[in-house]
Amino acid sequence: MQTAQRNSLRLLQWMMAAALALPLALFVFASAMSWISTSEAADQEIQRTLDVAHEHALKVFETIDRGLAEVTEVVRGMGDADIGAREKSLHERLRQVAMALPQVKSVWVFDANGRALVNSLVQPAPDVDFSDRDYFRIHAQGDIGTYIGEVLTPRPPYLGSRFFSVGRRRNGDDGSFAGVIQASVLPEYFENFYARIGREPGSFLALIRTDGAVLAHFPAVDHDVRFEPSGPLGRQIVANPEAGTMTIQSPADGIERRMRYQRLAGYPIYVSAGLETSAIQSRWRSTMAQHLIFGIPATALLFGLLALAFRRTQRLQEEANRRIEAEEALRHGQRLEALGQLTGGVAHDFNNLLTVIRASVDMLRRPDLPEPRRQRYIDAISNTVNRAAKLTNQLLAFARRQTLKPEVFDACQNVRTLSEMIATLIGARIEITAQVPDETCLVNADAGQFETAIINMAVNARDAMDGVGRLTIAVRAVDGLPSATSTPPNSPGHVAVSVTDTGVGIPQELFGRIFEPFYTTKEVGHGTGLGLSQVFGFAKQSGGEVTVTSEVGKGATFTLYLPRVVGGHGARAPRAEDAPSVDRTGASVLIVEDNAEVGKFAADTLTQLGCTCVLVDNATHALEELAVDADRFDLVFTDVVMPGMSGIELAEEIRRQRLDLPIVLASGYSQVLSQQGSGGFELLQKPYSAEQLARVLHKATRSRRLKRDQAPAE
């Protein structure tokens, strides 16, 4: 409840923040979209204006070209003397051509020395040298077709507007240079047209030569303008010679503009149109202002409503806190009850075990005890210790803290083998069926814990059926886990082992407790309640899952899921007792054990087996012994949990020093072992017997001898 209330207040706070942040984010997003839309609209407007200006310029220059072609035909075949003799009639003809072209100021015919032979302005033509003009020099150098010159100022005695020239080479009968035919074009003709089509604020149009010289400019400027070839426009034209779009600061007036250019087909001219970026931004700001007019009041209203809801919710906080405190006290009591149940269950079972051990020890102390009874009490102590160790392992399994020895094995083969043992365990009145596919179902898990889990589920099913019914064990490969589980998926899938009974079933309200340790619905003395908890812990620690489905009166199905293994992994056959028999080895063993009684027991046991033992109580002393002479030892037998350096750290240090010594670890429980494993070292689980200790010792020393025998001779 308290968490829900905190979440409610936090949600309101987040909603209040969102009431400001979301409109702001939407405004930013809308601003970005509006800017893109405004920019695209501006580009489209620029393109439409450019299309009009381009079409106009193309028609103008084609008209001028036709006029020059007409003059060329008129003077074709005439020498300078002939033109001079007919100057009056030619002057009238040129004047008619110029008057027919409003964009043309005048039309001229020059001789090879740059002297005017005839023009459309005056007659006779004045004796002025024009050979220094660019439109004359370029044609004197060679025939380049139509040439468009720079903007020039009229030369005295002529007055009037500035102009740029459009000229052609005049050739003699033998193809030699005979002069130039030239038309003077008015830039203001283009500028006046641009003023009519560029009515939007910030409009820009220009007529630009390929070398960057500006022939006509709108808005009009009173000085020459040139875009340098090395500048942004020049580089853009080199990259895109036919057409392009860019944002550039104009050299004419220093204003930044969005500009598009397009080459005039057949002429060394670019027509350009654009808009000032400040005009585009002004359009965008105007659009966003309209959004703000409606957005700000709506945002303020929403924020006010949320603030009111937040204040009203805060008023309920005190009452909610009191309710939360009461619920916390109740939960605390429930936790104490659960802890008491767990503690009571452990105490009950261990007291029973200790009672057997205590009674057996008391009876063994009697001097007149017959040998058969003495042996019976010794067996009782041994069996009770095994039961205590099993109880501890089941608790560690539920807590997912037991040390697993994962290996790849075929779950199908293991279930086939276990079915025979389970049939004997559950009794003849229960029919057992194993549904196992012929294919292999490889898993990577602790085979011993797997077998224990299957047996625990089978025993639980037997008790649910009261010894009569049908038990089905099925193995199958599945792609995924049930949707309600929290275990991460495994890409090869999982192997599911199901145990189904025909017993009394489990009520739905008990599903949440059946895996708790010491929780059982059986009568006192008929079960500890640790079997299913072991299955739960083993599944979780192995990266799998366990689920249960049941209906009262129709039995139950427990399904154990383990991660599947695919590929060329070798499967281990069902485990068999492969340890060698105990023999006298005569080995020298370094024992590292901080518990004096356990260390003395290990040393006495190994001494009885014919070993020579050196006992130290910590890893530091062990390294000191090895530093003196490591070759005198055949084996290091060390506890895992010790003050200072642990047994695993000691083993890794010995390995790092490259000492050729087998290492056997001993542990009742270790957090490191449960999480990371034994690191490849041999592990002996506490409590261990003298026979188990001897087998591990024999295995380690034998492996060392085989390794030495197989080593190549030097």
Side-chain angles (χ1 to χ4, degrees), residues 270-383:
Y270 285 96
V271 181
S272 176
L275 282 173
E276 295 179 10
T277 55
S278 59
I280 300 175
Q281 293 168 358
S282 178
R283 297 180 185 181
W284 171 72
R285 284 193 293 267
S286 177
T287 302
M288 296 314 301
Q290 298 176 10
H291 291 300
L292 290 176
I293 290 174
F294 297 99
I296 291 178
T299 301
L301 177 60
L302 177 61
F303 184 81
L305 292 175
L306 290 173
L308 178 61
F310 181 77
R311 286 196 298 269
R312 294 191 63 181
T313 304
Q314 278 185 319
R315 294 191 187 103
L316 301 175
Q317 187 67 49
E318 183 177 353
E319 179 183 350
N321 287 339
R322 288 196 298 268
R323 188 177 304 169
I324 290 171
E325 290 174 0
E327 292 176 354
E328 182 62 28
L330 177 61
R331 283 195 296 270
H332 181 67
Q334 291 173 340
R335 286 196 296 269
L336 291 177
E337 180 183 355
L339 181 60
Q341 181 180 2
L342 176 61
T343 305
V346 174
H348 174 270
D349 282 9
F350 266 96
N351 279 334
N352 288 339
L353 298 174
L354 292 174
T355 298
V356 175
I357 296 174
R358 179 64 179 270
S360 299
V361 170
D362 289 343
M363 295 302 296
L364 287 173
R365 286 176 175 170
R366 299 180 62 177
D368 56 345
L369 190 66
E371 186 59 31
R373 292 184 64 186
R374 180 184 301 277
Q375 188 61 45
R376 187 173 65 193
Y377 292 137
I378 292 174
D379 292 341
I381 293 174
S382 177
N383 292 335

Side-chain angles (χ1 to χ4, degrees), residues 47 50-59 61-62 144-148 194 206-212 233-234 236-245 259-273:
Q47 182 62 54
L50 179 62
D51 290 341
V52 174
H54 179 272
E55 185 68 20
H56 173 263
L58 184 60
K59 290 181 178 179
F61 282 101
E62 287 178 345
I144 63 170
T146 300
Y147 172 75
I148 300 174
Y194 294 159
L207 198 65
I208 308 171
R209 292 202 318 176
T210 54
D211 62 353
L233 179 60
Q236 180 77 359
I237 288 176
V238 171
N240 301 281
E242 295 302 320
T245 304
M259 186 180 78
R260 181 166 179 80
Y261 64 88
Q262 184 174 352
R263 180 155 184 169
L264 205 62
Y267 298 96
I269 294 293
Y270 285 96
V271 181
S272 176

Side-chain angles (χ1 to χ4, degrees), residues 451-636:
E451 295 168 2
T452 301
I454 302 302
I455 292 173
N456 283 339
M457 289 192 291
V459 170
N460 185 74
R462 177 200 65 187
D463 296 341
M465 293 184 289
D466 198 18
V468 179
R470 183 173 65 256
L471 178 69
T472 303
I473 304 177
V475 182
R476 68 186 188 280
V478 295
D479 294 331
L481 295 172
S483 58
T485 62
S486 59
T487 304
N490 182 48
S491 56
H494 290 74
V495 173
V497 183
S498 301
V499 178
T500 304
D501 63 67
T502 58
V504 296
I506 304 172
Q508 290 284 337
E509 62 269 17
L510 298 182
F511 277 16
R513 302 196 64 190
I514 56 177
F515 294 111
E516 293 180 6
F518 297 108
Y519 177 79
T520 180
T521 58
K522 303 172 187 176
E523 298 178 1
V524 177
H526 288 76
T528 63
L530 287 173
L532 292 180
S533 67
Q534 181 272 337
V535 179
F536 175 84
F538 166 66
K540 292 294 186 180
Q541 193 171 359
S542 300
E545 186 62 78
V546 60
T547 62
V548 58
T549 58
S550 179
E551 186 175 347
V552 175
K554 297 185 179 180
T557 299
F558 287 83
T559 305
L560 172 65
Y561 295 88
L562 294 175
R564 189 179 183 186
V565 177
V566 296
H569 298 276
R572 180 192 183 279
R575 297 188 306 166
E577 186 61 56
D578 54 2
S581 58
V582 180
D583 60 358
R584 302 179 68 84
T585 63
S588 177
V589 182
L590 175 61
I591 302 174
V592 189
E593 174 61 66
D594 62 320
N595 187 293
E597 294 181 356
V598 176
K600 187 175 184 304
F601 164 76
D604 290 345
T605 302
L606 293 176
T607 300
Q608 291 295 323
L609 295 173
C611 297
T612 302
C613 300
V614 175
L615 175 62
V616 295
D617 58 0
N618 58 61
T620 302
H621 293 164
L623 292 175
E624 292 174 354
E625 292 287 342
L626 293 174
V628 173
D629 184 10
D631 293 336
R632 61 192 171 115
F633 296 109
D634 298 301
L635 177 73
V636 176

Side-chain angles (χ1 to χ4, degrees), residues 631 633-634 660 703-712:
D631 293 336
F633 296 109
D634 298 301
D660 184 21
S703 298
R704 188 188 190 197
R705 286 197 300 269
L706 290 175
K707 182 178 179 181
R708 287 181 174 179
D709 293 343
Q710 294 173 359

Side-chain angles (χ1 to χ4, degrees), residues 9-25:
L9 287 175
R10 189 176 295 113
L11 177 61
L12 284 172
Q13 290 175 327
W14 278 107
M15 291 177 66
M16 292 172 63
L20 297 177
L22 184 58
L24 179 61

